[in-house]
Amino acid sequence: MILMEHIVREGHPTLRQRAEEVQFPLSEADRKLGEDLINYVINSQNADICEQYGLRPGIGLAAPQVNASKRMFALHILDEDREPLSIIAINPKIVSHSVEKTYLTAGEGCLSVDRDVEGYVPRYARITIKAFNPEGKEFKKRLKGLAAIAFQHELDHLNGVMFYDHIDKESPFKEIPNATPFERE
């Protein structure tokens, strides 16, 4: 079980590396890594488990955040239609995206960042993604809203990018052209 002590924090070199493609069929270690990532985000959304194990709530967790430089992450979230999106995405890619942007009005947070970082993080409002599941089957999804934002946040981790790299340093709350603000419930 992944605990907060297993999550590396900003400044750790793995967070700034481009993660390696994952080979199929998955090794037993890679299969376990995927299961551990999805279990963390599911567990972290349960208040009792958070309290018991001292977890911080999250909707996504990428392999580099647990010091594994592999192109894999997990998301567990309710999408725009209140449908659960619970995936382990291996070798994920954005294959197309909207011109329109969006951003979380409250800003983004990260399990690897132990401080509040204020500012708007511009993201594509809608994306079409491709990835592989742990069985090696490719899947394709269209995401919007919070699911699209979270996917882009986790994909950044696989490319050595932190969310605050996208914030305008001079003017963190500068209006983002062609963007619709996203209010998280």
Side-chain angles (χ1 to χ4, degrees):
M1 180 175 169
I2 294 173
L3 301 173
M4 287 307 298
E5 67 204 48
H6 302 120
I7 297 175
V8 298
R9 303 307 203 279
E10 62 181 319
H12 192 286
T14 303
L15 292 174
R16 289 300 188 175
Q17 293 172 359
R18 180 172 169 79
E20 299 289 323
E21 291 273 318
V22 178
Q23 301 303 310
F24 287 97
L26 291 187
S27 67
E28 197 49 48
D30 287 345
R31 182 174 298 284
K32 183 175 181 340
L33 175 60
E35 288 170 7
D36 287 348
L37 294 172
I38 194 74
N39 286 335
Y40 179 91
V41 285
I42 291 169
N43 289 337
S44 79
Q45 294 176 34
N46 177 311
D48 293 337
I49 294 175
C50 279
E51 187 176 338
Q52 181 179 356
Y53 293 102
L55 306 181
R56 272 179 48 202
I59 58 176
L61 185 62
Q65 292 180 271
V66 292
N67 199 21
S69 190
K70 294 178 180 280
R71 298 190 74 75
M72 178 189 312
F73 62 74
L75 285 178
H76 183 73
I77 190 172
L78 289 177
D79 72 12
E80 292 293 280
D81 305 318
R82 311 292 302 158
E83 289 293 316
L85 174 69
S86 193
I87 60 170
I88 298 169
I90 301 171
N91 300 334
K93 292 178 174 52
I94 294 174
V95 293
S96 68
H97 60 77
S98 61
V99 172
E100 183 189 1
K101 298 280 182 88
T102 190
Y103 58 90
L104 287 173
T105 54
E108 291 185 22
C110 179
L111 293 168
S112 292
V113 178
D114 290 331
R115 61 191 172 98
D116 288 333
V117 181
E118 294 189 333
Y120 298 146
V121 180
R123 302 286 188 189
Y124 298 116
R126 292 173 306 283
I127 57 176
T128 300
I129 63 98
K130 275 187 182 177
F132 292 89
N133 69 15
E135 285 69 48
K137 185 173 181 343
E138 188 175 56
F139 63 90
K140 188 175 182 178
K141 287 188 173 299
R142 296 186 65 179
L143 304 175
K144 61 183 181 178
L146 188 58
I149 291 167
F151 189 96
Q152 291 168 82
H153 178 111
E154 299 308 325
L155 187 60
D156 274 352
H157 277 303
L158 306 187
N159 295 320
V161 175
M162 299 295 283
F163 75 92
Y164 49 74
D165 296 343
H166 297 289
I167 298 172
D168 185 313
K169 306 295 179 261
E170 305 299 314
S171 181
F173 294 102
K174 182 171 85 178
E175 192 171 318
I176 298 167
N178 199 24
T180 303
F182 186 87
E183 297 276 347
R184 192 162 176 201
E185 295 173 6

